[in-house]
Amino acid sequence: MIDKRVSGAEEAVNDIPDHAILMLGGFGLCGIPENTIQALLKKGVKGLTCISNNAGVDDFGIGLLLQTRQVKKMIASYVGENAEFERQLLSGELEVELIPQGTLAERCRAGGAGIPAFFTPAGVGTEVAEGKETRIFNGKTYLMEHWLRADFSIVKAWKGDYAGNLIYRGTARNFNPMMATAGNITIAEVEELVPPGALDPNQIHTPGIFVHRIFQGKHYEKRIEQRTISK
Amino acid sequence: MLDKTGIAKRIAQEVKNGMYINLGIGIPTLVANYIPQNVHVVLQSENGLLGIGPFPKEQEIDADLINAGKQTVTMMPGSALFSSSDSFGMIRSGKVNLTILGAMEVSERGDIANWKVPGKMVKGMGGAMDLVASAKNIIVAMQHCSKEGASKLLKNCSLPITGLKCVKKIVSDMAVLDVLPEGGFRLLERAPGVSVEQIKNATEGHLLVTGEIPEMKI
């Protein structure tokens, strides 16, 4: 067993430099690495490129890093829940690249799978296709899209062991497994960190080889964006 | 004219036993409420769930269980959870049988525009471009005209395109229409109280009307 444990979020982000390219797991506020985002805030690294499906909300998730102007560029599929984001985008302070959600997921997967490019039909005939190579397979047009890789991938899982093996819960899995594979350094924060042998190897979603640092988050707020209930 | 609920009820009639279905945000989400009990389908949420159930009761709320609209949901018995790449894998490979989504404009060739309005804040396309590029069967829920009365069923979309030649059927507040493979809207049904003449006037793209056009049964 190779022990991947670090003392906590502060140690995990200790060597993240200004202008780093980060991937951050999560869909909306579901499955986001809350503790590591807090540590990035505290550390105050600047000029970050953040690859994440969404950009959080004004006072939670990546939105916190936007408020402190730590993000230079956002690569995402949907950013609609964030007023500060809108302000920075309109004023030109923030660069934004919007990518179809399935393409974003596959670009991360490709990055972790050692596949530099692939073809997808998403975005053909739209502004997403501008400047991209297209090819026809079986009579249908596809766009070439490139892999995405990160200096640091930051993911959140439900359970993990010292070896970095991860299990996700519910729809908090989302982008986390692909992003975990696509980081030069992958940091995993988990709700429950257990010794080797405590997790069933049959149930592992992300094998520990992809994870370089793991710690148990101190506190999880797990904020809900749309609290919908049935009577 | 149909209200949003009416559009959702009419679309629910298109849902067939055994379908895997992706419902977009807005009117499409309402469709789930009107699928008959004897029609068994599985609802897919692109953030990684097959088998979306009803909204939870207060004590069942789980922050780790949301739909693509970020609403808290429950899971039906026999559900499956997976990653975003698996989710779009099943979309791209055509395993999801029916996609229902909203649109701002549809062209007579089936092009759809639903993600961006120039001059307004861009929120992003989310999964819409992936869905429309791959789904075999796309039904669009939309208003036939803008608030100013301008047609949204056009010769060419004026707004930025989400996908080309992909819409198969439209259920608007005024009518049910097929988009023909060779281009053009074929009128199938009228909304209660709406005349063929009104639909003609509200449709800028080529409209094909043959024979008697029945009123929708809702």
Side-chain angles (χ1 to χ4, degrees):
Chain A
M1 197 275 295
I2 301 170
D3 194 341
K4 309 288 177 70
R5 281 178 297 169
V6 293
S7 58
E10 283 73 24
E11 186 186 342
V13 304
N14 187 44
D15 57 348
I16 296 184
D18 288 351
H19 307 292
I21 297 171
L22 309 182
M23 283 185 187
L24 296 111
F27 183 97
L29 302 178
C30 183
I32 62 171
E34 297 180 24
N35 289 271
T36 312
I37 289 170
Q38 286 294 339
L40 288 169
L41 269 178
K42 198 170 157 196
K43 184 171 162 62
V45 276
K46 297 228 171 342
L48 299 171
T49 294
C50 291
I51 304 168
S52 183
N53 188 55
N54 311 90
V57 295
D58 276 323
D59 61 346
F60 203 58
I62 294 173
L64 294 168
L65 297 169
L66 288 164
Q67 292 217 346
T68 49
R69 317 278 173 88
Q70 287 173 260
V71 182
K72 176 186 71 180
K73 182 174 183 182
M74 191 72 223
I75 298 176
S77 88
Y78 189 84
V79 292
E81 326 292 351
N82 194 315
E84 176 62 15
F85 183 98
E86 182 169 353
R87 194 198 62 72
Q88 289 184 24
L89 177 62
L90 295 173
S91 70
E93 291 165 64
L94 182 68
E95 276 179 71
V96 178
E97 185 180 341
L98 292 169
I99 298 177
Q101 196 175 125
T103 300
L104 178 61
E106 194 63 14
R107 287 180 69 183
C108 295
R109 200 191 73 80
I115 295 172
F118 58 92
F119 286 87
T120 176
V124 169
T126 75
E127 62 184 56
V128 167
E130 285 168 17
K132 287 178 186 159
E133 184 180 336
T134 59
R135 271 176 73 176
I136 296 170
F137 297 94
N138 295 328
K140 184 167 172 168
T141 306
Y142 293 80
L143 280 187
M144 188 167 78
E145 294 281 3
H146 291 261
W147 62 8
L148 280 171
R149 290 182 294 177
D151 299 326
F152 293 85
S153 280
I154 304 169
V155 302
K156 189 261 165 181
W158 179 38
K159 292 181 181 176
D161 66 16
Y162 301 172
N165 297 303
L166 304 178
I167 296 175
Y168 307 96
R169 183 173 176 278
T171 54
R173 192 181 320 183
N174 56 63
F175 282 81
N176 284 297
M178 295 82 73
M179 289 184 168
T181 66
N184 188 29
I185 301 282
T186 292
I187 298 166
E189 60 170 85
V190 298
E191 289 178 54
E192 196 181 334
L193 183 61
V194 297
L199 300 178
D200 178 357
N202 288 297
Q203 306 296 325
I204 301 296
H205 295 130
T206 294
I209 191 169
F210 293 114
V211 175
H212 304 85
R213 300 169 190 173
I214 190 165
F215 67 92
Q216 182 172 309
K218 281 208 179 100
H219 169 73
Y220 284 98
E221 180 182 337
K222 291 202 191 180
R223 195 183 291 187
I224 292 169
E225 266 181 86
Q226 306 283 341
R227 195 179 189 87
T228 43
I229 53 170
S230 56
K231 298 280 179 320
Chain B
M1 300 271 257
L2 297 179
D3 58 8
K4 287 178 179 180
T5 307
I7 294 174
K9 283 182 178 170
R10 178 59 191 82
I11 292 177
Q13 296 173 13
E14 302 293 318
V15 172
K16 303 289 181 277
N17 210 38
M19 280 181 163
Y20 289 97
I21 305 173
N22 182 288
L23 301 176
I25 294 163
I27 298 174
T29 305
L30 299 177
V31 173
N33 301 333
Y34 304 106
I35 298 171
Q37 293 260 320
N38 58 343
V39 175
H40 298 284
V41 299
V42 176
L43 302 179
Q44 199 250 18
S45 193
E46 63 261 30
N47 57 320
L49 168 60
L50 271 172
I52 307 172
F55 293 140
K57 301 216 167 18
E58 185 72 45
Q59 67 275 13
E60 296 173 329
I61 285 181
D62 181 347
D64 289 336
L65 209 56
I66 62 169
N67 65 17
K70 285 119 186 171
Q71 297 170 312
T72 46
V73 293
T74 57
M75 292 187 284
M76 300 297 285
S79 283
L81 295 156
F82 37 87
S83 70
S84 298
S85 66
D86 281 347
S87 178
F88 284 93
M90 56 187 79
I91 289 166
R92 261 188 249 100
S93 64
K95 301 292 191 289
V96 176
N97 309 102
L98 175 63
T99 293
I100 302 170
L101 73 180
M104 298 191 264
E105 293 177 351
V106 175
S107 84
E108 62 188 28
R109 287 176 308 281
D111 303 345
I112 181 170
N114 73 349
W115 78 282
K116 183 177 179 182
V117 178
K120 288 198 179 166
M121 169 65 184
V122 180
K123 295 187 169 187
M125 65 291 279
M129 285 189 182
D130 309 271
L131 281 159
V132 301
S134 297
K136 287 184 220 149
N137 190 8
I138 298 178
I139 302 178
V140 162
M142 66 188 294
Q143 305 299 319
H144 214 101
C145 296
S146 69
K147 287 194 185 79
E148 295 75 34
S151 178
K152 295 180 167 197
L153 277 66
L154 304 168
K155 288 191 195 320
N156 296 295
C157 292
S158 65
L159 295 170
I161 292 287
T162 309
L164 298 173
K165 293 185 182 175
C166 52
V167 177
K168 299 286 189 293
K169 182 167 269 184
I170 297 167
V171 178
S172 78
D173 51 346
M174 298 181 80
V176 180
L177 312 99
D178 269 349
V179 180
L180 299 170
E182 64 273 22
F185 302 107
R186 181 169 63 196
L187 183 58
L188 299 176
E189 297 173 23
R190 300 172 289 115
V194 175
S195 70
V196 171
E197 206 54 35
Q198 283 174 299
I199 295 164
K200 277 183 184 169
N201 290 335
T203 307
E204 188 221 80
H206 178 64
L207 183 71
L208 195 79
V209 183
T210 44
E212 278 295 297
I213 305 297
E215 199 171 273
M216 293 177 207
K217 293 186 179 70
I218 294 173

